[in-house]
Amino acid sequence: MTKTHKNAIRQKGITPIVDYAYLNLIDLRDPDYNTNARLNVYILEEEGQKYLLPQILNHKNIKNTFVIIALDMQEPWTFMEDLDRWISVLQDMMAELRLSLNELEEMKSNVMQYMSQMDGGQVHEGLLKTNLGIPLMVMVNKSDILERDDKGKDWDQKAEIIQFCLRQFCVNYGATLLFTSVKQKINIKVMYEYVLHRLYNMPFETSQHKNLSDFESLFIPLGQDDINIIKSTFTKLANSVIKYEESVPIVQLKKNLVKEELTVEDDQEFFTKLKEKSSQAPATRPILPIQRVVEQPVQQIPPADQPTSARGTQQSQQLKDFYDKIMTGRNDQQVEQIQQAHQQLQERLRQRTVTEIQTTTTAARQTPLFNQSDQQKMQRILKK
């Protein structure tokens, strides 16, 4: 699940479907072993798509589901509003599944049992006040959004407030907190291994990966944080009343300006307009390039035993094919002129009943069908 924009749940051009992806599974105990298995990933872009969840989740597969609420560090002022909105979606989803009390208690018990294993049975104040019965992670993307020269005292204060509020939220709902950056490859592998750990009980060294100090690579698994730890880390903030929206106002970052949202035209409207344009366009036929160089067809020598009438028929067919080739791609006026010349030559052929054949020492050669004057006339027509 990703963040949504207030009052922009169903923007024009947004297709109301759930995006799908998958992760290839690797057995972390034996990475060389090919499992040939995949982990399904369903992505909701907007809160308005929650009505599609019953098509994906049911009372059986919900027990093997891991939920990630993805936030964008490019817009940190929306964090708490987004978290409240998506938690509400999860609560509505659990209610619609109509799980029995035994099934719901079993799911909550599994979350409590995992937490006890991670913290060694210690009592944590304020931890898991609201147990949804689902493994939950809050993942903050683009943790490297600000360059070093953009970080002054003002940013340090905002970073503390962001971290303080996010950690309080995660403690309350028993969620793991993770900061990631694809560009800098921060915690990408950690996220993958942790998801496999929670879903398939794969080995995971929590003490080796957890990070409670570095803002850009923050990673606090379930059971590694509580209210007392947060208060001791942020003493000043713990003793003051914080209004998140006022403390982290909307700003434009210096080097990474907030990009303007583009409204994409709906597919159906696009194809409708395209159809209207195509129907209004005048019908045209393709114009083929005019051949400037006309090659005279090679005259084949008929066999000696072929009748004279058959030879004349063969010549007529060759001449017809030749002119058909010439007329390809001409306009109406050019075609009419060539047809007239064609008719004149056909008349000349009908008057000539006998073809004279001159025999040489090497081969027999036919007498030209039209004289030099006819050839010059054809050249003038073709040049047009």
Side-chain angles (χ1 to χ4, degrees), residues 296-304 306-319 349 352 354-360 362-371 375:
Q296 189 171 356
V298 179
Q299 300 178 356
Q300 298 180 353
I301 302 175
Q306 187 175 8
T308 304
S309 60
R311 300 175 189 174
T313 302
Q314 183 180 9
Q315 291 174 351
S316 299
Q317 183 62 38
Q318 291 177 353
L319 190 60
L349 284 175
R352 177 178 291 183
V354 179
T355 302
E356 298 177 0
I357 301 177
Q358 298 179 356
T359 305
T360 61
T362 57
R365 184 175 57 187
Q366 295 182 356
T367 303
L369 296 179
F370 41 85
N371 55 29
Q375 294 180 6

Side-chain angles (χ1 to χ4, degrees), residues 149-333:
D149 56 353
D150 290 323
K151 292 185 178 180
K153 294 182 179 180
D154 185 56
W155 166 245
D156 291 338
Q157 294 176 358
K158 289 184 175 62
E160 287 187 358
I161 294 174
I162 293 172
Q163 187 179 165
F164 176 77
C165 294
L166 289 179
R167 288 176 64 171
Q168 279 189 321
F169 177 90
C170 290
V171 165
N172 184 30
Y173 287 96
T176 295
L177 180 60
L178 179 70
F179 281 42
T180 66
S181 169
V182 175
K183 183 178 179 180
Q184 300 296 334
K185 298 181 180 180
I186 299 174
N187 284 339
I188 303 301
K189 185 178 180 181
V190 172
M191 184 272 292
Y192 175 77
E193 293 181 354
Y194 186 77
V195 171
L196 298 188
H197 165 67
R198 293 296 299 271
L199 288 176
Y200 303 104
N201 199 25
M202 293 287 185
F204 185 82
E205 295 294 335
T206 303
S207 59
Q208 179 180 350
H209 296 294
K210 72 176 182 178
N211 185 345
L212 282 71
S213 57
D214 189 357
F215 182 81
E216 292 186 356
S217 57
L218 204 68
F219 175 50
I220 308 176
L222 173 60
Q224 302 299 311
D225 202 5
D226 61 23
I227 295 298
N228 290 329
I229 298 176
I230 296 174
K231 287 181 178 180
S232 61
T233 305
F234 306 98
T235 307
K236 293 182 180 181
L237 296 177
N239 297 325
S240 60
V241 178
I242 298 176
K243 294 183 179 180
Y244 186 84
E245 291 75 12
E246 296 178 2
S247 303
V248 186
I250 299 176
V251 295
Q252 282 192 336
L253 306 181
K254 292 182 180 179
K255 294 191 175 183
N256 299 280
L257 298 179
V258 179
K259 296 182 179 179
E260 180 182 357
E261 286 192 9
L262 299 178
T263 302
V264 181
E265 186 177 15
D266 183 71
D267 293 344
Q268 193 63 32
E269 293 182 5
F270 170 76
F271 287 117
T272 301
K273 292 181 180 179
L274 188 62
K275 182 180 178 181
E276 293 176 355
K277 289 182 180 180
S278 61
S279 62
Q280 296 174 359
T284 57
R285 64 178 181 180
I287 300 177
L288 300 178
I290 300 176
Q291 298 179 356
R292 294 299 180 184
V293 179
V294 180
E295 297 181 358
Q296 189 171 356
V298 179
Q299 300 178 356
Q300 298 180 353
I301 302 175
D305 56 349
Q306 187 175 8
T308 304
S309 60
R311 300 175 189 174
T313 302
Q314 183 180 9
Q315 291 174 351
S316 299
Q317 183 62 38
Q318 291 177 353
L319 190 60
K320 181 178 182 301
D321 295 340
F322 170 67
Y323 281 107
D324 288 341
K325 182 178 179 182
I326 292 176
M327 288 188 291
T328 302
R330 308 293 184 185
N331 56 34
D332 295 340
Q333 183 178 2

Side-chain angles (χ1 to χ4, degrees), residues 58-219:
N58 52 55
H59 68 282
K60 292 183 179 180
N61 61 20
I62 190 63
K63 300 176 182 179
N64 300 313
T65 300
F66 188 90
V67 176
I68 298 177
I69 301 178
L71 305 176
D72 188 351
M73 181 56 78
Q74 196 163 352
E75 299 178 357
W77 50 87
T78 66
F79 281 0
M80 304 314 297
E81 181 184 358
D82 292 336
L83 290 173
D84 291 338
R85 184 177 292 114
W86 285 115
I87 285 295
S88 177
V89 171
L90 289 177
Q91 291 172 335
D92 293 343
M93 178 197 68
M94 295 297 293
E96 291 179 2
L97 290 177
R98 298 180 180 179
L99 298 170
S100 65
L101 291 177
N102 291 335
E103 289 176 324
L104 187 57
E105 288 299 324
E106 180 184 357
M107 294 174 62
K108 291 182 178 181
S109 177
N110 291 336
V111 176
M112 292 291 297
Q113 184 178 359
Y114 175 82
M115 183 185 66
S116 299
Q117 293 175 355
M118 293 298 102
D119 61 11
Q122 298 178 7
V123 178
H124 293 276
E125 181 185 352
L127 181 59
L128 205 58
K129 284 185 177 180
T130 306
N131 188 353
L132 298 176
I134 308 174
L136 181 62
M137 173 186 284
V138 174
M139 183 171 66
V140 181
N141 297 322
K142 303 178 185 177
S143 63
D144 64 324
I145 197 68
L146 295 178
E147 301 294 340
R148 290 293 176 183
D149 56 353
D150 290 323
K151 292 185 178 180
K153 294 182 179 180
D154 185 56
W155 166 245
D156 291 338
Q157 294 176 358
K158 289 184 175 62
E160 287 187 358
I161 294 174
I162 293 172
Q163 187 179 165
F164 176 77
C165 294
L166 289 179
R167 288 176 64 171
Q168 279 189 321
F169 177 90
C170 290
V171 165
N172 184 30
Y173 287 96
T176 295
L177 180 60
L178 179 70
F179 281 42
T180 66
S181 169
V182 175
K183 183 178 179 180
Q184 300 296 334
K185 298 181 180 180
I186 299 174
N187 284 339
I188 303 301
K189 185 178 180 181
V190 172
M191 184 272 292
Y192 175 77
E193 293 181 354
Y194 186 77
V195 171
L196 298 188
H197 165 67
R198 293 296 299 271
L199 288 176
Y200 303 104
N201 199 25
M202 293 287 185
F204 185 82
E205 295 294 335
T206 303
S207 59
Q208 179 180 350
H209 296 294
K210 72 176 182 178
N211 185 345
L212 282 71
S213 57
D214 189 357
F215 182 81
E216 292 186 356
S217 57
L218 204 68
F219 175 50

